Amino acid sequence: MKASGVIRVGVWGLLIAFLLKPQVFAPAFAPLTQHDAPAIYDQGDLATLAWAHLGLVLTATSLSALLAIGLAILVSRGPGRAFLPMSRSLVGIGQTFPPVAVLAIAVPLVGFGIKPTLIALVAYGLLPIFENSLTGLSQVPASVLEAADGAGMSPIQRLWSVELPLARPLMIEGLRQTLVISVGTATLGSTVASQGLGEVIIAGLLSDNSAFVLQGGLITGLMAILLHDAVGLIAQRWQRPVQ
Amino acid sequence: MRPRLDLPAWLFGSIAVGALFGLPFVISKANRIVPGVPVGLVDALGPGSVLRWWVLAVIGVTAVLTQRRWLRLVATGLLCVWFALALGHAAQLLTPPGNAVVRIAPGAGFWCAMASVALLGVDAAARLQLRALARLALLGLVMLVLWAALASGYFDHVSVVREYAVNADRFAHEFSRHLSLALGSVLAAVAVGLPMGLACQGRPWLRQAVLSTLSLVQTIPSIALYGMLMAPLAALAVTVPTLAQWGIGGIGYAPAVVALFLYALLPVVANTVLGLASVDPAVVDAARGMGLTDGKILTRIRWPLALPTIVTGVRVVLVQNMGLAAIAALIGGGGLGTFIFQGIGQTAIDLVLLGALPTVALALAAGVVLDALVEWLDRRRPA
């Protein structure tokens, strides 16, 4: 196994061990606490919170991917092309919109809990995937499209077996960006009472316990890096038979 | 050009019409936290001259049908003014005289109509391909109109403006705190990031190490990064009392500005490296052939050629930090996020908006200004 493989397995092992048996790591966090405060988050089970966090991120990212790729396909052909310039301006504006503001504006619309967080994550996750899918689809050379037409492919066949595979690497890059952003943004959900690892960090901020803040931050940071890495790995495996 | 159906204009025009007449234009609340009663546009405006509907129809039809982009830009701008005036009028009409508790908040109809029309306007402006200066002037005009509208008192009964009136002193303070958090951290990141990027030039091992460390920092959620900096800064303030006198400590401004600085570092360093690396080696060779020293090559050749890419990195960072600065409120760092999180805590939506709307406006304005700067630098760059 290569060095990168060893590191990967090691980091996964560390994260899972920490989630399942956090008390083992208590001595490492104890120096950060004051006045005998608990070193490990004690107001809930870390594994449950991490699981809820992961579920939220994966649900939101799947929804974003479906919507974003669908929209990118729509605006890159037929009458949808009229929307292409506008969708580019929309992406530009969307990227300037702060995630906190999306969350803050979603709360009055749908109330507290998981719903505003999901809306903010889906809306914010759309942009990287949409932009990359659009770039990927519009970079397919015209000669390739003509060859596909010449071979008698229907527009749907052409999309499915020529355009999408060629655009795939860029789409996956967008997906990875969205995953990393979502894991971080989902922690903000805890300010509007949605379950997740943000709870640990906020509990630490409120009780002035740096150990909580650090472990919440480490778990989310590791989760983001591992998801980014895992999607890259899956994409590599998937790409191989095509080449 | 053959006149043909402009699909986006028809779609967003229809959405705006549907939103105006199908969704509540304003929400009338008995006080700032109770849920309110929806009021449609026709009821909200009350009896009055039929002329205003004609004005709306003429501008609206012009905006959708016109083939001229500048005319669409003007028409969409006027439509936004119409919606705003309607909101102000409705707020005056629905507020009983002398009552300072009732809140008239913009409803879903107002927001959707405003958003679809603004989108059409932005699209028209983008297709006009205005030059940098014209875009800045347009931004200035929008800000001037906004300021004049708020100063005129016409909108004093609208819920968010009422919330502002209650918090006016704090607003000025938090607004400048927000700006200082975002701008200060970006300036620091530029001051540190440029030399770092320069140092990475020609040293692949250093570049690899610096860029991967900084991308690790980016994966840490912002609230956690703020929190993680509290402990070391608190310790620092205890050991070096002079620092504490300057206001550096575990909570408040210092950890927030350091966290924002750390987030800003990666794009600045990465774009500096990218910009310097993208300079054509043939150009550098030619300069060397002409007898320029390495220092002169850097200041006269590499630097001007790399500058637009570097400023693009600064744009990303400034826009991002305008938004992230809102989270500083969670650790007592102040800024517009104070209103957002207080509002969420009190379920007072008007207070949330008082924080969120200026945050969005600042981020958008920063984007427009820096885009114009990048374009200006790009054009000045020797070909």
Side-chain angles (χ1 to χ4, degrees), chain B residues 177 181 229-259 331-333:
Chain B
R177 173 55 77 88
L181 277 171
L229 290 165
M230 291 164 73
L233 285 168
L236 199 66
V238 171
T239 44
V240 190
T242 333
L243 287 179
Q245 279 173 3
W246 291 347
I248 293 176
I251 56 162
Y253 188 76
V257 91
V258 175
I331 54 159

Side-chain angles (χ1 to χ4, degrees), chain B residues 53-247:
Chain B
W53 299 110
W54 279 106
V55 172
L56 177 67
V58 169
I59 315 175
V61 168
T62 313
V64 170
L65 289 186
T66 181
Q67 301 278 328
R68 294 193 182 88
R69 281 155 195 166
W70 62 266
L71 187 57
R72 175 171 293 166
L73 183 61
V74 172
T76 49
L78 288 176
L79 277 178
C80 289
V81 171
W82 195 96
F83 297 154
L85 287 176
L87 177 67
H89 180 72
Q92 286 174 1
L93 202 69
L94 294 173
T95 308
N99 187 325
V101 188
V102 164
R103 290 293 173 98
I104 309 297
F110 173 82
W111 291 121
C112 289
M114 201 70 159
S116 12
V117 169
L119 190 60
L120 274 182
V122 168
D123 184 50
R127 288 204 225 183
L128 267 176
Q129 294 180 328
L130 293 174
R131 296 177 67 122
L133 210 60
R135 287 209 300 266
L136 284 183
L138 198 60
L139 177 70
L141 179 72
V142 170
M143 291 201 314
L144 196 70
V145 169
L146 259 178
W147 177 80
L150 291 175
S152 70
Y154 188 79
F155 297 94
D156 283 357
H157 291 291
V158 178
S159 59
V160 185
V161 185
R162 279 228 166 144
E163 197 70 48
Y164 167 76
V166 178
N167 295 292
D169 301 341
R170 279 173 63 218
F171 185 85
H173 175 252
E174 302 297 359
F175 188 85
S176 56
R177 173 55 77 88
H178 196 95
L179 275 181
S180 117
L181 277 171
L183 294 176
S185 58
V186 170
L187 282 180
V190 171
V192 175
L194 288 185
M196 272 173 94
L198 270 178
C200 291
Q201 182 64 24
R203 295 187 189 87
W205 57 272
L206 184 64
R207 183 172 63 205
Q208 182 67 26
V210 167
L211 290 185
S212 34
T213 315
L214 289 179
S215 16
L216 279 185
V217 172
Q218 297 264 320
T219 63
I220 305 172
S222 45
I223 46 174
L225 188 58
Y226 284 130
M228 286 179 194
L229 290 165
M230 291 164 73
L233 285 168
L236 199 66
V238 171
T239 44
V240 190
T242 333
L243 287 179
Q245 279 173 3
W246 291 347

Side-chain angles (χ1 to χ4, degrees), chain A residues 79 82-83 85-86 89-90 93 96-98 100-101 104 108 112 184 187-188 191-192 201 205 210 213-214 217-218 220-221 224-225, chain B residues 7-8 11-12 119-120 122-123 216 219 221 223-224 227-228 230-231 319 323 327 331 340-341 344 347 349 352 359-360 363-364:
Chain A
F83 289 90
M86 173 171 278
S89 334
L90 195 59
I93 301 175
T96 14
F97 231 77
V100 202
F112 286 86
T187 54
L188 286 176
T191 60
V192 294
I201 301 170
L205 291 175
S210 308
V213 177
L214 187 65
L218 281 180
T220 36
I225 295 167
Chain B
L7 271 179
L11 180 71
F12 286 96
L119 190 60
L120 274 182
V122 168
D123 184 50
L216 279 185
T219 63
I223 46 174
M228 286 179 194
M230 291 164 73
V319 168
I327 300 167
I331 54 159
I340 298 182
F341 291 113
I344 288 176
T347 65
I349 300 313
V352 172
T359 307
V360 173
L364 289 176

Side-chain angles (χ1 to χ4, degrees), chain A residues 1-235:
Chain A
M1 194 159 27
K2 281 187 294 186
S4 62
V6 176
I7 296 175
R8 184 175 292 135
V9 172
V11 176
W12 273 104
L14 189 70
L15 179 62
I16 292 169
F18 186 74
L19 290 177
L20 295 179
K21 294 263 177 250
Q23 289 305 333
V24 177
F25 296 83
F29 289 100
L32 292 168
T33 59
Q34 294 165 339
H35 317 299
D36 288 328
I40 298 294
Y41 187 63
D42 57 352
Q43 292 153 34
D45 180 29
L46 282 179
T48 315
L49 289 179
W51 192 245
H53 197 93
L54 183 67
L56 181 64
V57 168
L58 292 182
T59 312
T61 308
S62 319
L63 288 175
S64 305
L66 277 179
L67 271 171
I69 296 177
L71 282 176
I73 291 173
L74 274 183
V75 299
S76 60
R77 66 210 58 242
R81 248 195 210 119
F83 289 90
L84 190 62
M86 173 171 278
S87 59
R88 285 195 200 280
S89 334
L90 195 59
V91 167
I93 301 175
Q95 273 165 344
T96 14
F97 231 77
V100 202
V102 181
L103 193 65
I105 292 169
V107 171
L109 297 176
V110 295
F112 286 86
I114 199 168
K115 272 193 275 176
T117 318
L118 200 60
I119 289 179
L121 287 184
V122 171
Y124 213 64
L126 278 175
L127 297 166
I129 307 180
F130 178 75
E131 200 181 12
N132 279 30
S133 308
L134 204 57
T135 315
L137 287 172
S138 50
Q139 270 176 2
V140 177
S143 58
V144 172
L145 296 180
E146 275 166 29
D149 290 338
M153 283 185 171
S154 72
I156 292 178
Q157 273 177 330
R158 191 182 82 175
L159 173 70
W160 190 252
S161 44
V162 178
E163 294 177 65
L164 285 180
L166 284 173
R168 198 163 62 201
L170 267 175
M171 287 180 178
I172 287 171
E173 207 35 59
L175 195 72
R176 296 170 85 184
Q177 283 175 25
T178 292
L179 274 173
V180 172
I181 297 172
S182 293
V183 172
T185 312
T187 54
L188 286 176
S190 304
T191 60
V192 294
S194 135
Q195 206 190 17
L197 290 164
E199 267 172 48
V200 182
I201 301 170
I202 289 173
L205 291 175
L206 292 178
S207 61
D208 201 12
N209 185 340
S210 308
F212 286 4
V213 177
L214 187 65
Q215 57 202 256
L218 281 180
I219 300 173
T220 36
L222 283 181
M223 193 186 266
I225 295 167
L226 288 173
L227 280 177
H228 186 263
D229 178 63
V231 174
L233 211 62
I234 295 168

